[in-house]
């Protein structure tokens, strides 16, 4: 069942505007990545998060700075929501030395341990066992940190999902499993490859709570995540949170979307998570027209600066290309 959040979810005006700004930052970052990719400046395959911003921001707002996340091939939004700098991410996508992984990782391997972003992952469901392992590490260290592991609904059809959830449940690990159900697995409708409507139903098989929320409602996501995280910090074990949304773009940049049903994208545009939050904030008197214009201008300036920074940065030198890729003990024979 879709859960809904009570108005404002206990957040003050500034916190609500902060969520709005982070969602806009993700949207503008992604719009610009699409443009820069067509201009030939972004290296490697790239998957956009447009339309799914409420999930990353809702969950990460409920986390503490010292908590962790794992991510997916569609990970730019998770990274920004957890605190990665857009300029260092853009530089990473441009393959530059100033990138968050010194230009060696690219879009699908962004990681920034300084903010608890433990890594995007090109292997579908690859982040799930990692999140489980981090949950075990937290438990052994006896801190009250938690980890949120993001993944798509198609990942829940793979073995690591089932192993990760079972092990986490048995050991009561502090892992929030966040399923982003955007209704597609690459070029296939999820409904063609799974016969259940809600991925959250799978939680029952492992004896953990499962919940489905409207993934285009940032406050519903935030509230569900906050309650789940409180449970994790008490040591009561993991939760599976499914957020229903829609992938507004193709699977990757360049996907021509020949398989998408006509009219579908347009109907989801009416549920755009950013416009929806903005309308609510305006209704509640939490966002004046002047504040909105200022936030939009700030975000635009930040993304513009990120591109300038990336474009002006040097590519990694071939002399150091293996640095930060292999351990210093590992001998690479050219
Ligand atoms: C183990 C594995 N199998 C297949 C692929 C190819 N692949 C990349 S993304 C993707 C679909 C993933 O769908 P989902 O998990 O729902 O995430 P979404 O792309 O919708 O965010 C597939 C099949 C892969 N990267 N890894």
């Amino acid at each position: 069942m879709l859960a809904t959040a009570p108005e404002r979810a206990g957040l003050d005006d500034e916190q609500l505007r902060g969520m709005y700004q982070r969602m806009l930052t993700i949207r503008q970052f992604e719009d610009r990545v699409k443009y820069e990719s067509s201009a030939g400046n972004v290296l490697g395959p790239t998957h956009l998060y447009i339309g799914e911003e409420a999930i990353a921001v809702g969950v990460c707002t409920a986390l503490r700075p010292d908590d962790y996340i794992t991510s997916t091939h569609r990970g730019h939004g998770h990274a920004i929501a957890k605190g990665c700098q857009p300029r260092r991410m853009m530089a990473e996508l441009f393959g530059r030395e100033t990138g968050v992984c010194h230009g060696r990782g690219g879009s699908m391997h962004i990681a920034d341990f300084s903010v608890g972003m433990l890594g995007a992952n090109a292997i579908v469901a690859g982040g799930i066992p990692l999140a489980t392992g981090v949950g075990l590490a937290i438990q052994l260290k006896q801190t009250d940190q938690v980890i949120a592991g993001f993944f798509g609904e198609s990942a829940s059809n793979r073995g690591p999902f089932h192993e990760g959830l079972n092990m986490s449940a048995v050991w009561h690990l502090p892992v929030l499993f966040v399923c982003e159900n955007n209704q597609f697995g690459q070029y296939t409708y999820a409904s063609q490859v799974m016969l259940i409507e809600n991925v959250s139903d799978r939680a029952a098989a492992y004896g953990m709570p499962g919940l489905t929320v409207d993934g285009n409602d940032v406050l519903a996501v935030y509230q569900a995540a906050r309650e789940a995280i409180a449970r994790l910090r008490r040591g009561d074990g993991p939760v599976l949170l499914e957020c229903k949304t829609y992938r507004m773009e193709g699977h990757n940049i360049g996907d021509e979307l020949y398989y998408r049903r006509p009219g579908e994208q347009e109907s989801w545009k009416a549920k755009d998570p950013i416009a929806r939050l903005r309308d609510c904030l305006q209704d509640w008197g939490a966002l004046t027209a002047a504040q909105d214009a200022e936030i939009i201008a700030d975000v635009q300036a930040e993304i513009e600066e990120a591109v300038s920074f990336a474009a002006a940065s040097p590519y990694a030198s071939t002399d150091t290309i293996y640095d930060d890729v292999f351990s210093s003990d590992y001998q690479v024979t050219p």
Side-chain angles (χ1 to χ4, degrees), residues 289-321:
Q291 286 168 327
D292 193 18
E294 193 182 331
I295 289 173
I296 291 170
D298 283 354
V299 171
Q300 276 169 350
E302 183 173 24
I303 300 302
E304 206 55 56
E305 195 279 334
V307 173
S308 308
F309 172 74
S313 297
Y315 288 102
S317 151
T318 49
D319 296 339
T320 57
I321 201 77

Side-chain angles (χ1 to χ4, degrees), residues 118-167:
L118 302 185
N121 204 310
I123 300 169
V124 170
I128 295 175
L130 293 178
T132 303
V134 173
L136 178 60
I138 292 170
Q139 191 182 67
L140 291 172
K141 282 164 58 187
Q142 299 185 335
T143 72
D144 71 343
Q145 292 159 290
V146 303
I147 176 150
F150 293 93
F151 55 93
E153 79 294 331
S154 297
S156 77
N157 295 328
R158 292 206 61 238
F161 168 86
H162 301 280
E163 294 174 31
L165 266 72
N166 188 53
M167 194 174 274

Side-chain angles (χ1 to χ4, degrees), residues 47 52 72-74 122-125 151-156 158 180 182-187 247 251:
H47 309 78
E52 306 184 33
T72 69
H73 54 284
R74 201 176 299 290
I123 300 169
V124 170
F151 55 93
E153 79 294 331
S154 297
S156 77
R158 292 206 61 238
E180 303 181 309
N182 66 13
Q183 307 187 34
F184 293 99
Q186 206 154 0
Y187 315 123
R247 198 190 69 203
H251 169 65

Side-chain angles (χ1 to χ4, degrees), residues 207-275:
M208 72 171 76
L211 176 71
T212 296
V213 297
D214 179 347
N216 281 30
D217 179 345
V218 69
L219 297 181
V221 175
Y222 165 74
Q223 174 138 310
R226 192 180 58 187
E227 283 167 17
I229 289 165
R231 172 188 155 96
L232 305 187
R233 293 205 205 282
R234 287 196 303 268
D236 290 343
V239 176
L240 173 59
L241 173 63
E242 176 188 20
C243 305
K244 297 247 195 196
T245 185
Y246 186 78
R247 198 190 69 203
M248 293 299 284
E249 295 286 317
H251 169 65
N252 51 290
I253 295 179
D255 173 7
E256 289 175 7
L257 284 162
Y258 60 84
Y259 51 89
R260 188 159 71 184
R261 297 179 192 122
E264 195 175 71
Q265 188 212 27
E266 290 69 24
S267 72
W268 276 88
K269 214 167 190 163
K271 304 177 203 166
D272 184 280
I274 300 179

Side-chain angles (χ1 to χ4, degrees), residues 5-24 54 57-58 61 217-220 222-223 226 273-274 276-288 291-292 295:
E7 203 174 278
R8 305 179 66 111
L11 297 165
D12 64 29
D13 289 0
E14 203 176 319
Q15 290 170 313
L16 291 166
R17 284 195 294 271
M19 284 172 124
Y20 174 64
Q21 178 149 358
R22 280 191 295 284
M23 288 169 71
L24 263 182
V57 171
T61 303
D217 179 345
V218 69
L219 297 181
Y222 165 74
Q223 174 138 310
R226 192 180 58 187
I274 300 179
R276 205 161 143 183
L277 179 63
R278 188 197 55 224
D279 291 349
C280 286
L281 297 193
Q282 287 175 348
D283 282 355
W284 300 337
L287 183 71
T288 64
Q291 286 168 327
D292 193 18
I295 289 173

